[in-house]
Amino acid sequence: MADAAPPAEGFGFSSIAIIGIGLIGASVALALREAGFTGPIAAADRDDEALHAAVELGIATTTHADAAQAAAEADMIILAVPVGAMEPVACAIGPVLSPRAIVTDVGSVKGAVSRTVSAALPDPSRFVPAHPIAGSEQSGPRAGYASLFRNRWCILTPTDETDPSATQVVADMWRAMGSNIEVMDVERHDLVLAITSHLPHLIAYNIVRTAYDMEAVTEAEVIKFSAGGFRDFTRLAASDPTMWRDVFLNNRAAVIETLGRFSEDLAILQRAIRWGEGDQLYDLFERTRAIRMGIVEAGQDTAAPDFGRPRPAAEERHRTPVPEPASD
Ligand code: NAP
């Protein structure tokens, strides 16, 4: 059980357990340290190498192979395992939780996680589902960094049972890490994320598969000539297989709904190309360019060409053949 230590200065809790010390879990630990959290941070993971890295990186006070052991001593428990592992972890820690402990998560799907974790915990009023809209295609604690959540959104989806004071503590924790907070209901979250994140990943996985499976184009050519468009899809398609398998299995309805809309719109584009309807193509591309500008203006991406990838220095440019800028 958690000791009766007073909350750390500026935080509504005194000790943290992070279950799953991968990219997101490690980044949370680093960000909270940078924000001035000085209390103990217990890290639990089923992967020995992740625990070993957490020690080496100095991001955990103690490490545990057993999630319950880490959670028993904490009054803020952050579940940062893949979505499919949230329920078993909640079942494992439920019996040892302090009555005043707050449990939150970082899962990319909220409906399934809210339902199953709430049901597994002894006091669902202390559970605050959350999703930081920040991350990368990399995994593991060594990929984590303190500024990952800075100026990014963190969506909270408190349930009807969630105690508002617990939501406040979790919101303040994410604000301390530099995030902006949005509160949403779970259905809306899962629909919005299906179109802004889940579908783009599905398309990326599929386009990379199609390119590699095209018998008329060799694998070597796909790699050699992969300019901006395809290369950017390969970044998404390199994302963690476990994480994304769990996202699709746990957000089925919203993903299938958005995939249906996407397929209909794609058929319209196919028809426009077949019948040479250039005006229709141009109008759409003009609209989508304006959407991209809106994302840049909202501070969610850089306006620099090629996503700000560094260009070779002038001297380098003379020595190294620079690929033509992507035109696709
Ligand atoms: P990650 O780097 O792969 O880390 C997850 C860690 O949890 C791994 O070390 C994994 O071990 C461990 N784990 C899996 N099942 C476990 C269990 N039952 N008990 C204890 N440890 C367990 O993943 P991540 O990218 O940090 O993602 C973590 C969560 O954040 C996911 O729910 C994801 O949806 C969410 N999220 C991710 C991103 C992103 O861009 N990556 C962004 C926002 C939210 P193994 O390697 O042995 O499986």
Side-chain angles (χ1 to χ4, degrees):
M1 291 278 165
D3 56 25
E9 203 176 333
F11 296 89
F13 46 87
S14 59
S15 55
I16 299 174
I18 300 177
I19 317 298
I21 195 80
L23 165 73
I24 300 294
S27 298
V28 166
L30 290 164
L32 285 171
R33 282 284 183 245
E34 198 171 272
F37 180 78
T38 52
I41 299 180
D45 205 289
R46 67 174 187 183
D47 178 5
D48 283 348
E49 163 47 27
L51 292 175
H52 180 69
V55 173
E56 243 181 48
L57 298 166
I59 55 180
T61 319
T62 55
T63 57
H64 310 262
D66 179 6
Q69 209 179 58
E73 298 302 320
D75 56 0
M76 171 60 77
I77 292 100
I78 302 167
L79 309 182
V81 292
V83 164
M86 295 286 181
E87 183 184 16
V89 166
C91 289
I93 64 171
V96 304
L97 290 177
S98 151
R100 69 188 175 91
I102 294 174
V103 179
T104 185
D105 78 297
V106 296
S108 306
V109 175
K110 294 274 60 85
V113 170
S114 301
R115 246 187 340 270
T116 56
V117 172
S118 293
L121 294 178
D123 181 1
S125 76
R126 307 294 290 162
F127 176 47
V128 186
H131 178 202
I133 311 298
S136 81
E137 72 282 11
Q138 296 184 333
S139 307
R142 293 184 199 280
Y145 56 100
S147 61
L148 179 61
F149 310 111
R150 204 172 293 153
N151 297 324
R152 298 282 158 218
W153 288 100
C154 181
I155 301 178
L156 305 186
T157 61
T159 69
D160 292 344
E161 294 172 296
T162 306
D163 176 352
S165 68
T167 306
Q168 190 60 51
V169 171
V170 172
D172 288 346
M173 177 179 82
W174 283 102
R175 284 197 191 95
M177 289 189 269
S179 295
N180 305 310
I181 299 297
E182 180 94 10
V183 176
M184 260 188 208
D185 68 61
V186 284
E187 290 78 19
R188 181 140 202 90
H189 169 278
D190 285 357
L191 188 61
V192 170
L193 269 291
I195 188 66
T196 57
S197 169
H198 306 171
L199 190 62
H201 278 82
L202 195 67
I203 293 166
Y205 283 124
N206 197 48
I207 199 168
V208 173
R209 186 255 300 266
T210 304
Y212 269 68
D213 287 355
M214 275 180 71
E215 294 82 13
V217 178
T218 69
E219 203 174 301
E221 284 169 314
V222 171
I223 293 171
K224 186 171 168 187
F225 299 115
S226 66
F230 185 73
R231 186 180 55 187
D232 292 336
F233 279 118
T234 63
R235 186 186 71 75
L236 288 184
S239 299
D240 190 74
T242 306
M243 170 182 159
W244 283 96
R245 176 202 63 196
D246 286 4
V247 165
F248 293 119
L249 293 182
N250 286 278
N251 197 21
R252 283 178 213 217
V255 170
I256 287 173
E257 165 65 21
T258 49
L259 191 55
R261 287 285 300 267
F262 174 81
S263 304
E264 286 167 20
D265 289 343
L266 193 60
I268 293 170
L269 273 181
Q270 187 181 19
R271 192 180 181 285
I273 293 168
R274 184 187 302 283
W275 297 106
E277 291 166 354
D279 288 351
Q280 195 178 342
L281 294 174
Y282 186 90
D283 288 349
L284 172 70
F285 300 162
E286 206 176 31
R287 263 175 60 207
T288 55
R289 177 179 253 195
I291 292 168
R292 163 77 190 161
M293 280 153 77
I295 290 170
V296 170
E297 274 162 25
Q300 294 300 302
D301 206 352
T302 172
D306 203 12
F307 302 113
R309 284 187 179 103
R311 293 177 167 198
E315 190 191 324
E316 273 290 291
R317 281 205 293 272
H318 292 300
R319 270 193 278 123
T320 328
V322 180
E324 280 297 303
S327 59
D328 46 349

